Amino acid sequence: MNEKSIRVFASATVANVASGFDIFGFALTNPGDEVVAKLSDSKGVHIVQITGDNGVLPLDPKKNTAGVSVLKLLKHLNIHEGIELEVHKKMPLGSGLGSSAASCVASVFAVNELLCNPLTIKELLPFVMEGERIACGSAHLDNVAPSLLGGFVLIRSYDPIDVIQIPCSLDLFCTILHPKIEIRTEVARKMLPKEITLQQHVTQSGNACGLIAGLLKNDAELISKSLHDSIVEPVRSTLIPGFKEIKFQAIKSGALGCSISGSGPSVFALSLSKAQAEKIGRAMENACRNHGHECTVYISEINQNGPVVLTC
Ligand code: HSE
């Protein structure tokens, strides 16, 4: 009987970061999911337990995002050993925090470790991307890449995959407000315009490039000026009750900027200290509750490390 096992944490992420739809994201230190992976004598991938999902996620590995990612990895490696997975969800589903991405990343990272790292971290990207395709019908990388690599990550190209880590030495803090509603990414993608004007492209590209330059130059003012999304946020914010007021209160409380995290409903704000992030969180929470919605606030640093092995 093979008893080798490993427990891995992979973090939540903020995708898009205002102007970088599908091409930019960053990793949080919390919340995140945990996965236990074990080598098993029984061939194939077996998801033996999922907790924290209120029973909604499938145990069938062919229908489960983590299962699909691991199946693709094993097929690629031509490995026929059995793998058992336990998936422990520690963040809400459909929250805009990259919940499915965190489970895929933790699973694929854990299995790669169990197999003594046949692939580099970056080589794992195509497999976690397949999990996203199952989760929301689109294989975007702006959640999985930051969760896997840590820090701020730019997806320069999808075909071929080319991801670039963007270093920043500012002590940035992120406030996340999660209103307790669920938005399915698939639905939030379908509402987006298929075409944009040249002027919209110019404005959005200017802000996306300004954000990258601001991070690279550790220039908080430039980051602040660039945290604007004139294409996606105006459409999707209509799904988030009280969004305008939540954002107004975040900026008024000193946030560098504030926008929708991924496809929502979570809203993120960046700031330069923990105290500021907490103050912003209180203001966002009040605004959300004033609109009659329950919510949770998370305060997080930027996670520079990617997945962490908790026990092995
Ligand atoms: N870039 C994706 C979207 C992220 O906005 O649809 C989803 O979490």
Side-chain angles (χ1 to χ4, degrees):
M1 178 76 187
N2 208 328
E3 288 297 327
K4 200 172 165 193
S5 96
I6 186 169
R7 177 180 280 262
V8 167
F9 166 88
S11 75
T13 40
V14 171
N16 300 337
V17 201
S19 53
F21 178 73
D22 273 4
I23 60 162
F24 203 48
F26 65 85
L28 300 167
T29 48
N30 69 290
D33 286 348
E34 287 177 24
V35 163
V36 179
K38 283 184 197 158
L39 293 180
S40 149
D41 292 330
S42 157
K43 283 194 189 333
V45 175
H46 308 275
I47 302 180
V48 292
Q49 191 187 18
I50 304 178
T51 62
D53 68 327
N54 289 327
V56 299
L57 296 178
L59 286 165
D60 179 348
K62 292 198 182 89
K63 295 185 180 150
N64 181 290
T65 57
V68 167
S69 299
V70 172
L71 282 167
K72 297 257 177 199
L73 175 68
L74 296 183
K75 186 167 179 214
H76 171 82
L77 294 172
N78 202 19
I79 282 183
H80 301 286
E81 282 196 72
I83 300 282
E84 273 186 13
L85 294 175
E86 288 172 26
V87 180
H88 301 289
K89 303 295 303 173
K90 309 244 170 183
M91 68 172 114
L93 309 179
S95 57
L97 293 172
S99 171
S100 58
S103 296
C104 286
V105 166
S107 303
V108 166
F109 183 90
V111 171
N112 193 48
E113 283 275 331
L114 268 186
L115 300 173
C116 303
N117 295 307
L119 297 185
T120 64
I121 298 294
K122 271 196 179 174
E123 284 170 344
L124 299 177
L125 275 170
F127 308 102
V128 285
M129 191 167 98
E130 285 311 310
E132 283 295 57
R133 198 190 301 279
I134 295 289
C136 53
S138 118
H140 57 272
L141 279 167
D142 49 346
N143 290 111
V144 284
S147 185
L148 189 62
L149 301 172
F152 286 88
V153 178
L154 167 69
I155 294 97
R156 191 203 60 80
S157 155
Y158 274 81
D159 188 14
I161 292 176
D162 186 9
V163 300
I164 300 163
Q165 290 172 273
I166 306 293
C168 177
S169 346
L170 290 173
D171 258 342
L172 290 170
F173 282 79
C174 183
T175 308
I176 297 281
L177 175 94
H178 172 237
K180 294 215 170 119
I181 54 171
E182 188 178 330
I183 295 179
R184 291 187 50 221
T185 298
E186 206 171 346
V187 174
R189 291 182 79 84
K190 283 200 178 126
M191 60 194 296
L192 296 178
K194 297 280 172 289
E195 288 172 7
I196 56 167
T197 64
L198 197 56
Q199 186 53 51
Q200 283 177 303
H201 161 72
V202 170
T203 305
Q204 196 85 342
S205 308
N207 282 322
C209 295
L211 178 57
I212 304 282
L215 291 164
L216 287 170
K217 292 169 69 166
N218 303 313
D219 182 340
E221 201 183 324
L222 180 54
I223 293 171
S224 180
K225 276 197 292 193
S226 307
L227 278 171
H228 294 288
D229 169 10
S230 52
I231 297 171
V232 177
E233 182 186 298
V235 179
R236 285 182 171 170
S237 60
T238 57
L239 300 176
I240 305 171
F243 175 80
K244 265 193 190 153
E245 180 65 13
I246 293 166
K247 178 168 174 164
F248 175 78
Q249 290 300 335
I251 304 285
K252 193 173 153 204
S253 305
L256 295 175
C258 171
S259 187
I260 302 170
S261 176
S263 55
S266 291
V267 179
F268 80 95
L270 286 175
S271 56
L272 288 167
S273 75
K274 189 166 183 214
Q276 190 90 58
E278 286 169 347
K279 181 179 169 201
I280 292 164
R282 287 191 292 275
M284 292 168 83
E285 185 173 358
N286 283 340
C288 186
R289 289 192 196 282
N290 285 345
H291 275 81
H293 280 271
E294 281 301 305
C295 53
T296 308
V297 172
Y298 302 94
I299 307 292
S300 170
E301 292 171 63
I302 309 302
N303 175 351
Q304 304 292 353
N305 302 317
V308 176
V309 177
L310 300 174
T311 52
C312 59

